[in-house]
Amino acid sequence: MGAIEKLQGALAASLLVAATVVSPNPAVAQQPAPAPPAAAAQGAPADKQQELDQLLAPIALYPDALVAQILMASTYPLEVVEAARWTKEHPNVKEKALEDEMQKQTWDESVKALTTVPQVLKQMNENLSWTQKLGDAFLADQATVLATVQSLRAKASQAGNLKSTPEQTVKTETVENKTVYVIESAKPETVYVPTYNPSTIYGPWPYPSYPPYYMYPPGYAYAPGLAFATGVFVGAAIWGNCNWGGNNVNINVNKYNNFNRQNINNGNFNHKAEHRKGVAYKDQGVAQKYNRGGDRQAAQSRDQFRGRAEQGRNELGSMDRGDLNNRVSQADRAGGGIGGDRSAGAGGDRSGVGGGDRGSAGAGGRDVGGGNRAGASAGTTDRGSGGGFSGANGGASTRAASTQGAASRSSMSSSGRSGGSFGGGGGGGGGGRGGGGGRGGGGRR
């Protein structure tokens, strides 16, 4: 079993047990249910909005660029697993050496970028169910996901838990007549990953049936408000960006090109289905959009072929042997080179040597009968007449053919191949197998 197959198995197993890794806070589940807040994101259905709040609560207060990078990478959960394992095995590979190593990997660039923040990759790997659900939600509806991040930031600000610190700068901007919260690292090339309790940072959690996901195992001791891990130098690796005006994720092209040593000029995020590596899409619309990771045109061609093949099978099933032979004869005539010899169009045998058997000019060669193979010689029953797949006298025709075959075999035994035709006295004469009345010859016309 290859490494990819093992990782796919591990992914499936992890998804089954992930609920035990990402545990809700029991205290939150005991709270009474308050009315839903007015600041729900852009008209999403109530249950969908509650699920989005649940999914995004652990990262909504991360710096904008890191949020964008996580959202993009979460659409490739299997590669997140691979990258997390790689960083665990190579803890001392950093900065320029790490950038060099990433040129050798085949993961999506969004996943490669997170190797500079191994703490985040570790969290995504250990909370794999959350990672996959986050990616599915992001692919299905970027705008509502980004609006949910803003809604959660507004709640954290109202609760007094979102403000500038030495590690990050928090500011508000007016974009398209709405107030948005922008979070940036205090040092452009350094990322400080915040830690916080998602069930308390936004004020009382409003959805007891949808407790927030946690990035740390049960029992982890959260500090009050926001706390920060040691800053990590990322250089140009974190190139994602949140476009709050359009509520979508885009790319800082200069940083992207510097870290990945490429020369792109398109700042749009484009999901690459081939990097899913077989992980199914939850949303049917997303699955159709990306054709389950395959090539849409190739899939359409396969569907069209299946339709034509099925139609052909149905036609053959309703056709008797006579009709089938007639169609083959018509095709032979349309092909124009099978009037006699298969390879040369001659009136003789296959090898073009007239009147005899396949390989020689003798009259006693390998004849198959006085007409075509369907049995146009005297005393035989033509396969194309009266005894086809749906013929009424099929049984009688079959018995007659069996009797004739026995006679032919007996005659062949007494005369041998050298003394007469291959078919014996009952089918002799007329030319070789491909001769004047051969398989594609005049007898079939």
Side-chain angles (χ1 to χ4, degrees):
M1 181 181 294
I4 294 298
E5 288 79 2
K6 291 180 180 178
L7 284 173
Q8 288 174 329
L11 172 61
S14 298
L15 291 176
L16 290 175
V17 301
T20 63
V21 178
V22 190
S23 302
N25 189 329
V28 176
Q30 297 172 4
Q31 296 177 0
Q42 295 188 350
D47 56 345
K48 177 182 177 182
Q49 187 57 58
Q50 292 168 13
E51 290 177 0
L52 287 175
D53 281 15
Q54 179 186 46
L55 282 171
L56 290 159
I59 63 168
L61 304 185
Y62 284 16
D64 290 9
L66 186 56
V67 169
Q69 208 74 54
I70 291 171
L71 290 174
M72 290 185 284
S74 67
T75 65
Y76 311 112
L78 185 56
E79 291 191 343
V80 166
V81 173
E82 295 173 354
R85 292 183 177 182
W86 188 93
T87 58
K88 184 178 180 180
E89 294 169 359
H90 303 84
N92 298 320
V93 180
K94 299 178 181 179
E95 300 182 11
K96 181 62 167 57
L98 179 61
E99 183 179 324
D100 292 340
E101 285 297 322
M102 287 304 101
Q103 311 311 310
K104 305 174 185 177
Q105 303 301 326
T106 60
W107 311 317
D108 185 80
E109 285 76 9
S110 63
V111 176
K112 293 180 183 180
L114 289 180
T115 59
T116 61
V117 196
Q119 175 186 352
V120 172
L121 267 182
K122 180 175 183 290
Q123 293 166 353
M124 295 177 73
N125 179 42
E126 293 180 351
N127 298 282
L128 203 52
S129 176
W130 170 81
T131 298
Q132 184 171 2
K133 290 178 181 178
L134 181 67
D136 288 338
F138 175 66
L139 288 175
D141 192 347
Q142 282 194 47
T144 305
V145 166
L146 271 291
T148 299
V149 170
Q150 282 298 321
S151 174
L152 289 168
R153 288 181 176 183
K155 293 176 186 177
S157 179
Q158 292 167 7
N161 293 322
L162 183 60
K163 57 189 69 175
S164 294
T165 68
E167 294 83 11
Q168 67 181 23
T169 300
V170 179
K171 57 185 178 181
T172 59
E173 296 178 354
T174 301
V175 180
E176 297 184 358
N177 298 319
K178 60 185 179 183
T179 299
V180 298
Y181 292 83
V182 177
I183 303 177
E184 298 174 340
S185 292
K187 299 178 181 178
E189 295 186 336
T190 302
V191 168
Y192 297 87
V193 180
T195 60
Y196 55 86
N197 187 336
S199 68
T200 60
I201 198 76
Y202 304 106
W205 186 256
Y207 314 124
S209 297
Y210 294 88
Y213 281 87
Y214 286 75
M215 300 306 293
Y216 294 90
Y220 180 85
Y222 290 93
L226 289 173
F228 293 87
T230 303
V232 178
F233 179 81
V234 296
I238 304 301
W239 40 259
N241 181 61
C242 292
N243 173 22
W244 300 116
N247 268 339
N248 59 16
V249 163
N250 55 27
I251 294 169
N252 183 316
V253 173
N254 291 331
K255 287 186 175 182
Y256 180 99
N257 288 336
N258 286 339
F259 184 76
N260 296 297
R261 301 175 187 175
Q262 298 183 25
N263 188 30
I264 70 166
N265 53 24
N266 184 354
N268 297 322
F269 164 68
N270 293 303
H271 175 68
K272 302 169 187 173
E274 63 271 20
H275 287 280
R276 289 283 285 194
K277 295 184 176 178
V279 178
Y281 294 98
K282 178 182 178 182
D283 184 272
Q284 186 62 31
V286 173
Q288 291 176 353
K289 179 178 179 181
Y290 297 106
N291 199 30
R292 301 186 183 275
D295 180 88
R296 184 183 298 245
Q297 185 175 359
Q300 290 175 343
S301 298
R302 288 193 297 271
D303 290 341
Q304 291 170 0
F305 172 78
R306 292 189 189 103
R308 291 195 298 270
E310 185 63 29
Q311 180 182 359
R313 283 192 292 269
N314 291 337
E315 290 179 357
L316 287 175
S318 62
M319 188 187 304
D320 65 16
R321 181 66 65 87
D323 192 10
L324 180 60
N325 284 339
N326 288 337
R327 290 203 181 189
V328 172
S329 297
Q330 291 169 5
D332 287 348
R333 288 194 291 271
I338 321 180
D341 178 69
R342 287 189 180 184
S343 61
D349 63 12
R350 291 189 185 184
S351 62
V353 183
D357 63 23
R358 291 188 186 181
S360 65
R366 190 175 178 179
D367 291 320
V368 190
N372 61 22
R373 291 187 75 184
S377 60
T380 66
T381 302
D382 192 301
R383 292 186 187 179
S385 60
F389 291 142
S390 58
N393 296 318
S397 300
T398 302
R399 287 191 295 272
S402 177
T403 301
Q404 182 182 352
S408 297
R409 287 192 296 272
S410 175
S411 177
M412 181 181 69
S413 299
S414 62
S415 61
R417 292 194 181 187
S418 61
S421 68
F422 187 75
R433 185 172 187 176
R439 178 180 293 187
R444 294 188 68 170
R445 295 179 185 271

